[in-house]
């Protein structure tokens, strides 16, 4: 491969090289223009989207025959026959839509996340896509930010889980194989800390925090072999990420060893002028390519300015060749030179198969989090009439979330449909609103399933919300039902964590169903009627109110050592509790799990700290349990968080059964970046905890640990 790449580079004109570093957006109206550019060898990549908000609005159906026509122009008519690579935002599903990434992370399940990624890649590969702009790996603890739904929450370790599983699912071990795509770890780096949760606002990161909180997931993606990385819009403490050589080259390439290519975000190079680091496009092009951005997304700033930048000595031809080398390497690894065309004879049934829908249901079931249950759940199927009501009772589109690509609402199962399928049409009444309808139907049932949530249109890119409280009208649905003497089960379909404190008193049970995808209504109904025992645990904190934001379980300690997240601290909050409504790692089950027989030892031979326990299922239902292991580095050369998730085990335990669990912490697990950016392990005392959540701790011991260097 290397020889072929060097031979191509040796033959390429500068225009052809700049063509390889340019991604253009494709719509029907631009087909001919793109075909011409491809024929001239000046089109390296297409993004199959008419705007950066592609995931949130209808996309025209791009015909495979037309995509093949453009590819034929590139491969068979251009001088060097370099194929075009088609990118698209396949974030959590192509035709079969899976739960949003934040929900998938709530499964704490590598296999399920990997399988979801594999299905979406397999479907997208039949629909004209070679490369997806996923996984999104921004760490975030601010639910005002609409894009929190796309990430894996506030914890670095879960971010690593999501990164590894997603890259493996999307690329497999050989991304030239059928059904595999190139993945893209995004947005490098720090986007999730946009000030005030305002999308694309500046992000204030110390290098210490950035390295210890935002970087781990990207390291995991690079270690998993991710083919590409996307530079982010945000500024990091004065440096726009897209113009930051420190982040895109020194850290990403030299420290992490990334060997793929970097693409900018949509128009991000063009926007450097807006961020005040460039007067003109030529300077912007030079800043970005010298920082480490190889391909320029849709603004054509590279194509139009790099030639003059080279003439002025602002950019070297060696850097251009390096960027082209990286792009060609991915195209070879994708097998595009051998198999550049799509099979046009693919039916919709061959894309959204029953197996894919079944997998989406499984992921959705494992992602849902039971927040409250006074014993009313599970219901018995067909035992009594239930009323399904509320603004999301019959909702379909919102359940697909904001980046649902080729998903179609007609394929989605609503909650009302899911409940009817299990409880029987004769025992289920549903109506999509609340208020007056309730009184009309009030005699029909003593059990109301109240479907609440948020629109997918206010989640995702460009959707900052200045408050996250559930609307009064929605709370009123549950309140009225309770005041009528009904049993109230709230099912909430949302992307970001919402403020639920005012809702809880009116509910006997609350199931957090997320924007759970095509099979979400079925999954929620199966949980309600006990066909599946809920096991999801929160990957992000649920604040009591907007005023608590930002709030995260792994917060830094302070000069008073206040653990305000864990115990009430009036110093921290005068007019409300300082603790969150629901903590990181929280989630209920229909059964009970009892932890016992704790053990701790340092295994000198294997140079690991081993923490063990037994978990017994003492309840009436088989179920999955996620056991969590937290560590607090008591004294270090830099202030470490009050605690950090360092390991977890998800185990299935039949009722009455017992499972042995062992957590193995390596030196690496206990290391951190010190304030000079060195990766260090410092022997000393660590408090080791085992818990059902970050607050519900079953075992805690302070131990001196000194693993061999
Ligand atoms: C958007 C998003 C990015 C997406 C890209 C292409 O602005 O920030 O996540 O992949 O543009 O749609």
């Amino acid at each position: 491969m290397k020889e072929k790449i060097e031979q191509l580079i040796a033959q390429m004109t500068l225009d052809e090289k700049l063509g390889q570093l340019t991604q253009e957006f494709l719509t029907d109206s631009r087909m001919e223009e793109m075909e011409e550019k491809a024929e001239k060898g000046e089109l390296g990549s297409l993004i199959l989207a008419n705007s950066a908000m592609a995931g949130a609005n209808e996309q025209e159906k791009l015909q495979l025959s037309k995509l093949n026509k453009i590819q034929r122009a590139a491969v068979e008519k251009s001088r060097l026959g370099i194929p075009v690579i088609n990118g698209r935002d396949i974030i959590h599903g192509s035709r079969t839509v899976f739960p949003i990434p934040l929900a998938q992370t709530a499964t704490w399940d590598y296999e399920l996340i990997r399988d979801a990624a594999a299905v979406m890649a397999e479907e997208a590969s039949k629909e004209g896509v070679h490369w997806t702009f996923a996984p999104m790996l921004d760490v975030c603890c601010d639910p005002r930010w609409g894009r929190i739904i796309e990430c894996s929450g506030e914890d670095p370790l879960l971010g690593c889980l999501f990164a590894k599983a997603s890259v493996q699912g999307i690329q497999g071990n050989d991304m030239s194989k059928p059904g595999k795509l190139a993945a893209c770890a995004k947005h490098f780096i720090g986007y999730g800390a946009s000030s005030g949760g305002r999308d694309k606002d500046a992000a204030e990161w110390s290098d210490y925090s950035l390295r210890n909180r935002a970087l781990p997931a990207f390291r995991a993606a690079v270690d998993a072999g991710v083919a590409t990385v996307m530079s982010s819009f945000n500024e990091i403490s004065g440096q726009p990420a897209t113009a930051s050589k420190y982040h895109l080259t020194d850290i990403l390439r030299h420290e992490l060893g990334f060997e793929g290519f970097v693409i900018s975000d949509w128009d991000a190079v063009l926007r450097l002028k807006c961020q005040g680091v460039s007067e003109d496009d030529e300077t912007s092009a030079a800043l970005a390519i010298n920082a480490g951005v190889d391909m320029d997304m849709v603004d054509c700033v590279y194509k139009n300015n790099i030639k003059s930048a080279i003439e002025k000595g602002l950019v070297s031809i060696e850097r251009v060749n390096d960027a082209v080398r990286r792009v060609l390497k991915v195209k070879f690894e994708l097998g595009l030179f051998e198999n550049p065309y799509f099979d046009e004879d693919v039916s919709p049934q061959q894309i959204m198969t029953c197996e894919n829908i079944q997998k989406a249901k499984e992921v959705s079931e494992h992602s849902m989090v039971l927040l409250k249950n006074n014993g009313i759940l599970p219901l018995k199927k067909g035992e009594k009439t239930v009323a399904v009501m509320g603004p999301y009772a019959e909702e379909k589109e919102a359940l697909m979330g904001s980046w649902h690509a080729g998903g179609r609402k007609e394929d989605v199962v609503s909650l009302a449909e899911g409940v009817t399928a299990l409880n029987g049409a004769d025992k289920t009444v549903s109506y999509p609103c609340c208020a007056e309808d309730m009184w009309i139907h009030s005699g029909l049932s003593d059990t109301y399933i109240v479907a609440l949530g948020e629109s997918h249109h206010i989640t995702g890119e460009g959707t900052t919300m200045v408050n996250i409280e559930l609307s009064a009208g929605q709370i009123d649905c549950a309140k009225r039902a309770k005041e009528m003497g009904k049993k109230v089960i709230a099912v909430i379909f949302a992307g970001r964590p919402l403020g639920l404190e005012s809702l809880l008193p009116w509910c006997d049970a609350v199931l957090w169903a997320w924007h759970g995808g095509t099979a979400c209504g079925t999954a929620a109904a199966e949980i309600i009627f006990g066909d599946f025992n809920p096991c999801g645990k929160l990957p992000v904190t649920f604040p009591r109110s907007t005023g608590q934001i930002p709030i995260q379980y792994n917060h830094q300690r302070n000069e008073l050592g206040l653990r305000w997240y864990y115990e009430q601290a009036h110093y921290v909050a005068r007019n409300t509790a300082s603790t969150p409504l629901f903590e990181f790692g929280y989630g209920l089950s229909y059964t009970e799990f009892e932890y016992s027989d704790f053990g701790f030892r340092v295994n000198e031979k294997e140079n690991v700290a081993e923490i063990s326990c037994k978990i017994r299922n003492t309840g009436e239902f088989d179920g999955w349990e996620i056991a969590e292991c937290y560590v607090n580095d008591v004294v270090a050369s830099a202030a470490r968080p009050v605690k950090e998730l360092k390991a977890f085990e998800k185990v299935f335990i039949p009722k009455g059964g017992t499972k042995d669990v062992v957590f193995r912490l390596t030196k690496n697990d206990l290391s951190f970046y010190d304030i000079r950016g060195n990766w260090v392990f410092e022997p000393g005392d660590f408090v080791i905890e085992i818990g059902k959540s970050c607050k519900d701790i079953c075992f805690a011991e302070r131990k001196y640990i000194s693993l061999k260097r």
Side-chain angles (χ1 to χ4, degrees), residues 237-253:
S237 309
Q239 274 199 312
T242 294
S244 171
K245 186 173 180 300
Y246 172 63
H247 296 98
L248 290 173
T249 297
D250 300 351
I251 294 182
L252 178 61
R253 290 195 163 95

Side-chain angles (χ1 to χ4, degrees), residues 47 52 89 133 147 186-187 230 233 265-266 297 403 461:
I47 175 171
D89 292 288
F133 304 124
R147 301 197 76 168
K186 72 183 185 183
H187 309 78
M230 183 183 293
F233 292 118
D265 203 333
W266 188 288
M297 186 186 280
W403 280 106
E461 191 165 359

Side-chain angles (χ1 to χ4, degrees), residues 571-584:
Y571 182 87
V572 168
R574 287 289 176 181
N575 59 346
T576 179
S578 61
T579 56
L581 186 62
F582 296 111
E583 71 269 17
F584 176 84

Side-chain angles (χ1 to χ4, degrees), residues 371-610:
L371 298 177
K372 179 179 179 183
N373 184 25
N374 67 2
I376 185 176
L377 288 179
L379 301 180
K380 285 190 175 49
K381 285 178 205 168
E383 185 183 56
K384 60 171 111 175
T385 302
V386 298
V388 185
M389 75 190 67
Y392 287 80
E394 296 172 1
E395 174 62 33
K396 287 175 178 266
E397 186 170 13
L399 275 50
M400 292 194 287
S402 78
W403 280 106
H404 55 263
R408 299 171 316 178
K409 60 186 174 191
E410 52 268 30
D411 296 328
V412 175
V413 177
S414 70
L415 180 63
E417 289 167 339
V419 170
T420 301
L422 294 183
N423 200 49
D426 58 332
K427 295 270 187 183
T428 308
V429 288
S430 77
Y431 34 97
C433 55
C434 293
E436 297 328 307
D437 289 32
M438 282 182 168
W439 318 112
I440 299 167
H441 295 275
S442 61
L444 280 178
S445 165
D446 70 351
T447 303
Y448 278 10
I449 299 174
V450 182
L452 309 172
E454 68 172 345
S455 163
H456 63 300
H457 288 303
I458 59 167
T459 70
E461 191 165 359
T463 60
T464 303
M465 298 297 285
V466 293
N467 71 60
I468 61 164
E469 276 69 29
L470 199 62
S471 69
Q474 292 203 40
I475 293 169
D476 199 43
C477 280
K479 180 170 182 287
R480 284 177 172 226
K482 183 49 71 182
E483 288 170 342
M484 287 162 65
K486 304 298 178 183
K487 296 186 180 73
V488 179
I489 298 158
V491 181
I492 304 175
F493 300 100
R496 59 163 56 81
L498 297 175
L500 304 176
E501 193 160 36
S502 307
L503 173 74
L504 295 182
W506 310 111
C507 302
D508 297 288
V510 179
L511 177 65
W512 186 263
W514 302 104
H515 284 155
T518 305
C520 183
T522 304
E526 292 196 352
I527 287 176
I528 290 167
F529 289 99
D531 283 357
F532 185 82
N533 182 1
C535 61
K537 293 202 173 179
L538 296 179
V540 66
T541 297
F542 274 49
R544 292 179 187 282
S545 67
T546 307
Q548 282 192 316
I549 298 170
I551 182 170
Q552 57 194 6
Y553 86 93
N554 50 359
H555 65 76
Q556 296 295 110
R557 294 171 286 184
N558 58 28
E559 80 281 13
L560 297 177
L562 290 177
R563 295 161 43 95
W564 50 266
Y565 186 98
Y566 299 89
E567 299 103 21
Q568 177 55 30
H570 292 298
Y571 182 87
V572 168
R574 287 289 176 181
N575 59 346
T576 179
S578 61
T579 56
L581 186 62
F582 296 111
E583 71 269 17
F584 176 84
Y586 172 85
L588 298 177
S589 169
Y590 289 152
T591 193
E592 294 299 325
F593 294 104
E594 189 180 272
Y595 288 55
S596 64
D597 297 62
F598 300 101
F600 173 91
R601 74 184 186 110
V602 175
N603 181 330
E604 305 288 352
K605 184 165 167 290
E606 296 187 28
N607 199 32
V608 293
E610 288 179 352

